Amino acid sequence: MGEIARSTFILGGQRSGKSRCAELLARRWLDASADQRAVMVATGQVWDDEMRSRIARHQADRAERVRGMVTVEVPLVLAEAVQQHSDARTLVVVHCLTLWLTRLMMPPDPAQALSKAAVVAAGEGLCADLHHASGPVVLVGNEIGQGVIPLVRGVRAFVDALGHLNQRAAASCGQVTLMAAGLPMTLKDTA
């Protein structure tokens, strides 16, 4: 990947290398100038012991690979967090859209789940706000639409919603990279 685009979307399956790709961009950004910062907007939350372990592993890996990157945890108000942390000298990495959407659609308290219209509006708002960010933004998300069709209605709705969110994110970003087996494949580069 060449220059860091104003907006980048990195997607792939689980363990595809998408986190590492985003971290590489952040490290390159930080190495380019002592005046530049990088902020990781983390959307994941601890739901169980396995998730606690997964988050701890991501934090440890990130601390080793991208020294100096600040992490803020923002499970819900993603567009606002991007605007809050964005400036011309700060690269914002949003990790990850999939966990954010999970939190919107399947919160621990089902009564807090957003309607389909509210989920669509949140995704559209985030993508629209990318154009107003003062500095570069990197979005990270999962591509899960290449698997089997889930039997459970709620899971099918989630897969559909994520597919639509990924399409909006890809349309809004100047650069889109699909990760597979640790290898980046450029899908779009208008940067």
Side-chain angles (χ1 to χ4, degrees):
M1 298 177 70
E3 290 296 312
I4 295 174
R6 180 112 169 82
S7 55
T8 301
F9 183 32
I10 302 168
L11 72 160
Q14 195 165 330
R15 299 269 139 260
S16 63
K18 60 191 178 298
S19 299
R20 189 166 292 175
C21 182
E23 291 169 356
L24 176 62
L25 289 176
R27 189 174 69 218
R28 284 185 26 221
W29 175 261
L30 290 170
D31 288 348
S33 172
D35 293 338
Q36 294 182 162
R37 297 180 339 117
V39 175
M40 169 74 68
V41 177
T43 63
Q45 289 185 292
V46 173
W47 302 73
D48 55 29
D49 288 340
E50 189 274 336
M51 191 63 172
R52 182 183 330 283
S53 174
R54 183 177 293 265
I55 288 172
R57 187 180 66 245
H58 269 286
Q59 290 170 338
D61 290 348
R62 191 168 46 250
E64 184 177 311
R65 289 192 292 251
V66 192
R67 298 184 194 282
M69 177 182 264
V70 175
T71 299
V72 295
E73 295 179 5
V74 181
L76 293 173
V77 290
L78 207 45
E80 294 87 341
V82 169
Q83 291 306 314
Q84 177 185 353
H85 295 285
S86 179
D87 68 49
R89 293 181 322 273
T90 302
L91 175 111
V92 176
V93 177
V94 175
H95 196 296
C96 85
L97 293 183
T98 312
L99 290 174
W100 175 66
L101 184 65
T102 301
R103 183 66 172 83
L104 295 179
M105 293 181 70
M106 297 177 271
D109 177 0
Q112 295 176 338
L114 296 183
S115 69
K116 182 178 179 179
V119 168
V120 169
E124 288 175 352
L126 172 64
C127 292
D129 282 354
L130 289 176
H131 302 293
H132 303 294
S134 301
V137 178
V138 176
L139 303 176
V140 178
N142 289 70
E143 172 54 66
I144 63 172
Q146 297 176 341
V148 297
I149 298 171
L151 295 176
V152 180
R153 186 173 100 170
V155 177
R156 283 192 307 271
F158 176 80
V159 171
D160 289 346
L162 182 60
H164 292 300
L165 176 59
N166 284 349
Q167 288 180 41
R168 282 192 300 280
S172 298
C173 289
Q175 200 168 68
V176 179
T177 301
L178 177 65
M179 296 297 297
L183 300 173
M185 293 177 282
T186 301
L187 302 180
K188 177 181 176 183
D189 191 354
T190 59

